[in-house]
Amino acid sequence: MGRHNFSSQHQQTHVRRHRNAGGATAKSPNAAKPSPTMTDYLSLHSRLAQVGQEHLLKFWSELTNDERIDLVRDIEELNLDEIKLYFDRATVSMNENGIKLDDRLQPLPEGKLISIARAPLEKLDAYRDEGLLQISNGHVAVLLMAGGQGTRLGFDHPKGMYDVGLQSRKTLFRIQAERILKLEELAQEANGKRGHITWYIMTSEHTVQPTYDYFVANNFFGLKAENVLLFEQGSLPCFEYDGRIILDEKHRVARAPDGNGGIYRAMKRQGILDDMQKRGVLYLHAHSVDNILIKVADPVFIGYCVQEKADCAAKVVEKAAPNEAVGVVAIVDGKYQVVEYSEISAKTAEMRNSDGRLTFSAGNICNHFFSSNFLQKIGSTFEQELKLHVAKKKIPFVDNAGKRLTPDKPNGIKIEKFVFDVFEFAQKFVAMEVPRDEEFSALKNSDAAGKDCPSTARSDLHRLHKKYIEGAGGIVHGEVCEISPFVTYAGENLASHVEGKSFTSPVYLRDSRDPLHGHL
């Protein structure tokens, strides 16, 4: 699998050919390929036997030529030398599950955390100016983690294509693309120079093609095609508890995505790190697709990290309550990491400082900064040391008779890596606490759940945009209020549009570039 950018007319066939060259979804013309010979079989069997995985060939005699080709390809994609190491490390990790970290835990020191709500305005303005300068100089890129489908939303497409029901009917992808465009314009106004923000989008095997097609159909939302690059998240095999890889079908290995921490390996393998170097990108803002309030390539965050000379950073929100089930950024055994809610006792979660704030309050929201140098180090060295997280799952498998079964209780493990597990390797780590109502509203569930769903995402955006208008001297009667990213990125330059004016819901402030109506 390779990275896909969109700079040529012929890219679409290139993408499809790329996927067929190695993807599990490939419909490649296997008939044109030579049949695996008995020599191939014996060589493969010998290699598998060395790592205790020869059972993957147990249905060989029953397979058609095409199926044998598929199976050989699946096995070739496994790094057999790593497999045993992965399973052994995963087992250690599984045995550590449930261990409480209270005694080894410290909160982030004050000097490592800036709070937007409590920082002096002139300081934030200086950070913003620095961030806009870096954007003008072409030093900033965005990494969007967009591998997920909208299954839990009852939406059978990539989550970024979801429309939460705003008046504009804009999808998550479109909103984020337009914020990038607006930011490029703001940087040009500030510095007299137009720099481009490269947009790296991590998809999955199942979302790469629909995502690609959607961007092409929408003309990349006004962005330059050569500055949008798609690449694919990797996968890892699923294991039985004894370390044997599970067969999903007689000729297919059971695999699962390797988690958002798979970005580091994928960026190295698919040429993204090389591309960053070639373009002169020095700083990367990484975030997940499902936060409708995301300040994409936020210049204040970028500027803060640059001035602090950070190689890695996280945006956090103050935990709403001690028992909010969110990971917190903290220090464990002297190293920065995200500590899951389940890893600390209620007593520790409830600890408060003298000012009444929770001691462990830095809630992780999957919103990170990395220097390019740090990412290069991760790719060349630390990626191999990333923690492995193990989940016991019900994994469909093929029984000895060759029949595919779906178990009713967990029968194996899936291994994942998490994006934040690189924090511990940072020489200089900082964090920025941002107001939740301005920067974080996750879209995870359908409306039936009542939280982190389309209606909460919509109302959170309406509330913020109403606040922007009121902050610029306008009045809004009612709650439904949307402002196009082309009008304002984060509430700036609104006074000329709204000062002294009264608006009645539904309010939609749009730009000449916004269509009057119609599905986007």
Side-chain angles (χ1 to χ4, degrees):
M1 305 272 182
R3 64 185 170 84
H4 320 308
N5 71 10
F6 302 100
S7 50
S8 84
Q9 292 278 308
H10 307 293
Q11 195 65 39
Q12 186 152 12
T13 51
H14 171 65
V15 169
R16 288 206 166 116
R17 198 156 58 238
H18 238 351
R19 295 180 71 215
N20 288 347
T25 55
K27 301 282 186 292
S28 52
N30 283 348
K33 297 185 180 176
S35 310
T37 62
M38 182 49 91
T39 313
D40 294 330
Y41 168 81
L42 291 172
S43 149
L44 202 54
H45 191 280
S46 154
R47 281 169 55 215
L48 288 168
Q50 285 169 19
V51 289
Q53 303 293 348
E54 66 274 18
H55 65 284
L56 295 176
L57 297 175
K58 66 182 173 186
F59 297 108
W60 185 266
S61 61
E62 301 171 31
L63 302 182
T64 65
N65 184 52
D66 276 5
E67 288 171 340
R68 286 178 179 181
I69 290 169
D70 282 341
L71 180 59
V72 169
R73 185 173 53 215
D74 272 9
I75 292 169
E76 295 293 351
E77 282 186 6
L78 300 172
N79 185 332
L80 292 178
D81 300 329
E82 280 185 337
I83 291 300
K84 180 156 173 28
L85 184 65
Y86 261 118
F87 181 77
D88 291 346
R89 284 178 58 215
T91 311
V92 169
S93 159
M94 194 159 56
N95 294 336
E96 286 174 357
N97 280 357
I99 293 176
K100 299 288 185 199
L101 299 174
D102 300 56
D103 301 341
R104 298 153 55 193
L105 204 57
Q106 290 172 288
L108 290 177
E110 256 177 41
K112 295 286 188 181
L113 177 74
I114 188 172
S115 165
I116 291 290
R118 299 190 287 281
L121 265 179
E122 59 272 19
K123 204 173 198 181
L124 299 180
D125 286 344
Y127 292 147
R128 185 174 185 269
D129 292 346
E130 176 75 58
L132 290 174
L133 181 62
Q134 297 298 340
I135 289 166
S136 279
N137 289 332
H139 291 163
V140 177
V142 171
L143 172 64
L144 176 64
M145 291 171 258
Q149 304 254 37
T151 317
R152 278 160 69 184
L153 298 163
F155 180 69
D156 199 21
H157 303 281
K159 212 189 235 186
M161 289 168 62
Y162 193 77
D163 156 19
V164 302
L166 297 173
Q167 296 165 82
S168 63
R169 312 307 297 180
K170 289 179 182 179
T171 62
L172 295 170
F173 278 144
R174 180 177 284 273
I175 291 167
Q176 291 169 33
E178 291 179 358
R179 285 179 188 154
I180 288 173
L181 278 166
K182 180 63 175 177
L183 204 45
E184 290 179 350
E185 288 167 15
L186 289 171
Q188 185 174 12
E189 284 164 24
N191 301 298
K193 183 177 172 188
R194 179 80 182 225
H196 292 294
I197 296 169
T198 307
W199 204 10
Y200 298 110
I201 301 176
M202 184 177 83
T203 62
S204 64
E205 176 188 333
H206 303 294
T207 60
V208 63
Q209 194 67 47
T211 301
Y212 171 81
D213 292 342
Y214 181 67
F215 271 77
V216 170
N218 287 281
N219 199 26
F220 309 100
F221 311 106
L223 292 164
K224 288 192 169 177
E226 64 267 24
N227 295 328
V228 180
L229 285 85
L230 265 62
F231 67 107
E232 286 181 47
Q233 179 175 12
S235 63
L236 287 169
C238 303
F239 294 93
E240 292 179 50
Y241 297 129
D242 63 2
R244 296 196 316 161
I245 293 170
I246 295 173
L247 275 174
D248 182 59
E249 297 174 53
K250 291 180 189 178
H251 65 294
R252 299 314 299 258
V253 169
R255 299 187 305 175
D258 58 3
N260 58 18
I263 62 169
Y264 306 110
R265 171 171 290 211
M267 287 174 83
K268 183 177 170 70
R269 283 187 170 178
Q270 298 189 37
I272 300 298
L273 294 181
D274 291 342
D275 186 79
M276 286 171 68
Q277 217 161 15
K278 196 173 74 200
R279 290 172 187 261
V281 169
L282 301 180
Y283 310 110
L284 189 78
H285 180 211
H287 63 87
S288 55
V289 73
D290 58 6
N291 175 11
I292 199 166
L293 301 185
I294 187 74
K295 288 185 175 175
V296 187
D298 176 13
V300 178
F301 186 40
I302 302 284
Y304 166 61
C305 295
V306 169
Q307 292 201 354
E308 286 289 328
K309 298 185 171 54
D311 44 16
C312 178
K315 274 192 180 186
V316 296
V317 295
E318 191 169 1
K319 273 182 72 168
N323 61 352
E324 185 184 6
V326 60
V328 293
V329 183
I331 297 176
V332 179
D333 299 334
K335 291 178 177 172
Y336 293 96
Q337 75 174 64
V338 172
V339 178
E340 295 298 347
Y341 174 63
S342 59
E343 293 177 311
I344 55 175
S345 67
K347 188 178 170 194
T348 299
E350 286 161 12
M351 282 169 61
R352 292 185 184 270
N353 302 338
S354 54
D355 62 2
R357 295 178 182 278
L358 289 171
T359 303
F360 295 99
S361 65
N364 176 52
I365 54 172
C366 195
N367 190 326
H368 309 305
F369 164 94
F370 303 107
S371 73
S372 297
N373 285 343
F374 182 62
L375 287 172
Q376 294 287 355
K377 279 185 212 160
I378 296 295
S380 60
T381 310
F382 298 126
E383 198 281 329
Q384 291 81 4
E385 299 171 34
L386 271 190
K387 267 186 220 145
L388 300 176
H389 298 263
V390 177
K392 294 181 178 180
K393 296 279 188 182
K394 299 176 209 172
I395 302 165
F397 67 100
V398 175
D399 68 9
N400 287 330
K403 192 174 169 209
R404 191 173 190 267
L405 302 174
T406 303
D408 50 13
K409 57 176 194 283
N411 62 320
I413 62 169
K414 289 185 177 178
I415 301 173
E416 279 189 311
K417 302 171 193 174
F418 293 163
V419 64
F420 51 69
D421 281 332
V422 296
F423 292 179
E424 65 171 284
F425 305 117
Q427 297 293 304
K428 178 78 188 278
F429 177 86
V430 294
M432 175 177 273
E433 184 187 279
V434 297
R436 190 185 291 238
D437 68 322
E438 293 182 10
E439 298 213 27
F440 185 58
S441 179
L443 180 64
K444 305 278 185 200
N445 311 309
S446 68
D447 274 338
K451 66 168 194 174
D452 296 343
C453 60
S455 58
T456 56
R458 201 166 55 238
S459 62
D460 287 344
L461 182 131
H462 289 158
R463 197 178 302 118
L464 177 61
H465 288 191
K466 179 177 176 174
K467 184 171 154 180
Y468 284 163
I469 290 175
E470 291 173 342
I475 296 169
V476 178
H477 301 283
E479 302 309 319
V480 178
C481 181
E482 179 185 356
I483 309 172
S484 165
F486 290 131
V487 175
T488 190
Y489 171 82
E492 78 293 326
N493 304 337
L494 273 181
S496 60
H497 298 276
V498 305
E499 196 170 14
K501 295 182 183 170
S502 180
F503 300 87
T504 302
S505 169
V507 180
Y508 177 33
L509 299 188
R510 50 181 290 279
D511 179 80
S512 57
R513 287 171 282 184
D514 290 301
L516 274 168
H517 50 71
H519 190 72
L520 299 172

